[in-house]
Amino acid sequence: MTARTIGIIGGGQLGRMLAMAAARLNFQTIILEPQADCPAAQVANRQIIAAYDDPAALAELASACDVVTYEFENVPVSAAELLARSVAVYPPPKALEMAQDRLTEKQFLNECGVPTARFHAVDSQADLDAGIADFGGQGVLKTRRLGYDGKGQRVYRSLADSTEGGYAALGNVPLILESFVPFEREISIIAARNPEGSIRSYDPAENVHRAGILHTSTLPANLWPDTAAAAASAAETILTALDYVGVIGIEFFVLPDGGLIANEMAPRVHNSGHWTEAACVISQFEQHIRAVAGLPLGNPARHAACVMQNLIGDDIHSVPDWLARDNTLVHLYGKTEARPGRKMGHVTTLL
Ligand code: AMP
């Protein structure tokens, strides 16, 4: 084993599941997270309670860990770069930089030859009006940074939709206008690369969102084999271009002709990959730990068809029903307060 202690920036459910996978391989984990008793710290060896960019906390994390990773893509790039001066940081800070801004992300994907929606940078109302005119009245306006689960977005469906005040309504911050993609379904692929450059991909999942939040991931996705192969090939190109180490999640729209349009990439384990813990021998969480620790990647083959469903807010009350079902793996995140829209856990049913 090359690493003994793994630092994880971010203390949510993804950090929790990474810490659990790490423990099974005898690694220690240290969580950097400002909120005490966060989901990840409940199952980790130690928590450093501090802001993600606190220099003293970062120095402490670097000196206590053999490798540092993260569970969310809005870790300040400056913090990741500071850490990278004294400890290995995986995935590389460059991946964070690419994924944090929807404009640089799309430019990067296009440079890799991975198609995206057409787009315009929008820094004023005039930019928005020009962009909407270019796209014939249809488009999706998004904040460039810090948007997630459909937050910070506005959809224009025709030239009859007024764009008045549209720029200011999203907070006078840098925006991107994307052309409207007439997709048939949404899929994602989870793939991993280790420091030697070996790459393994899981089967693509078919995802359904509700109110902007992932509701279900179904395997197998209803896809032509060529489309599934194209998703894996795009993942391989992206991982190689970034000299990436760890797991990545890439979301795509599938067009009626089977063509793929990349929507976004997350330089971390991904909600649409939670099914892997029930339907694969090696979950995305263990795969990420193996990758960042320099271990051989595991076999991502799927041994069953399955559906993963998120438990959001009050869905937590349905846990007794899920527990009474056969072939359902219930995974809860240790959150005490069930606020609307809050991810409380997930269930994966083998079909
Ligand atoms: P995002 O925050 O980019 O994942 O977008 C949230 C959801 O909005 C996606 O899952 C799609 O259902 C929808 N959406 C986002 N961008 C577009 C687009 N350019 N065209 C059509 N639908 C979109």
Side-chain angles (χ1 to χ4, degrees), residues 62-337:
S63 68
C65 296
D66 301 295
V67 58
V68 174
T69 187
Y70 42 88
E71 59 122 42
F72 71 116
E73 62 272 40
N74 289 317
V75 170
V77 174
S78 57
E81 283 171 344
L82 185 69
L83 277 171
R85 284 190 216 149
S86 48
V87 66
V89 177
Y90 295 137
K94 169 116 165 99
L96 272 179
E97 205 179 318
M98 289 298 128
Q100 280 180 359
D101 182 324
R102 291 183 192 273
L103 186 66
T104 52
E105 180 179 46
K106 284 200 168 48
Q107 287 163 342
F108 165 73
L109 289 167
N110 289 171
E111 278 162 23
C112 289
V114 176
T116 63
R118 292 175 60 209
F119 56 92
H120 290 291
V122 170
D123 294 306
S124 66
Q125 183 63 37
D127 288 346
L128 172 59
D129 292 336
I132 280 287
D134 184 39
F135 293 157
Q138 292 194 327
V140 183
L141 186 64
K142 304 178 179 180
T143 52
R144 278 173 57 178
R145 305 178 73 90
L146 299 173
Y148 65 97
D149 287 345
K151 292 190 176 74
Q153 299 194 10
R154 184 166 271 226
V155 180
Y156 297 97
R157 298 192 184 278
S158 79
L159 283 169
D161 283 357
S162 167
T163 58
E164 204 183 317
Y167 173 67
L170 291 190
N172 286 311
V173 292
L175 305 178
I176 183 170
L177 180 71
E178 300 177 6
S179 61
F180 192 85
V181 180
F183 61 85
E184 204 167 68
R185 57 188 90 244
E186 294 184 80
I187 64 160
S188 57
I189 192 156
I190 308 296
R193 184 175 180 275
N194 73 4
E196 280 94 62
S198 147
I199 293 177
R200 307 296 303 259
S201 298
Y202 291 92
D203 283 353
E206 183 163 340
N207 302 320
V208 172
H209 296 86
R210 275 195 189 165
I213 303 175
L214 182 66
H215 175 54
T216 56
S217 293
T218 302
L219 279 290
N222 185 359
L223 293 176
W224 287 318
D226 282 0
T227 304
S233 156
E236 192 166 336
T237 305
I238 291 164
L239 290 173
T240 307
L242 288 169
D243 200 14
Y244 197 91
V245 173
V247 160
I248 196 169
I250 308 165
E251 296 181 88
F252 297 92
F253 301 125
V254 185
L255 299 173
D257 68 0
L260 284 178
I261 302 287
N263 179 28
E264 57 187 357
M265 58 183 198
R268 54 170 168 79
V269 288
H270 197 259
N271 194 168
S272 68
H274 290 0
W275 62 272
T276 58
E277 72 183 335
C280 301
V281 173
I282 305 297
S283 73
Q284 64 164 345
F285 305 104
E286 177 166 338
Q287 196 75 305
H288 185 76
I289 295 298
R290 284 175 175 236
V292 304
L295 299 175
L297 295 180
N299 180 357
R302 181 173 55 81
H303 57 65
C306 65
V307 180
M308 187 286 311
Q309 182 177 324
N310 272 333
L311 302 178
I312 311 282
D314 283 340
D315 291 347
I316 190 74
H317 303 307
S318 64
V319 164
D321 297 336
W322 288 108
L323 286 171
R325 293 194 191 196
D326 269 356
N327 295 330
T328 296
L329 186 149
V330 176
H331 199 144
L332 306 177
Y333 303 154
K335 300 180 185 177
T336 43
E337 202 191 332

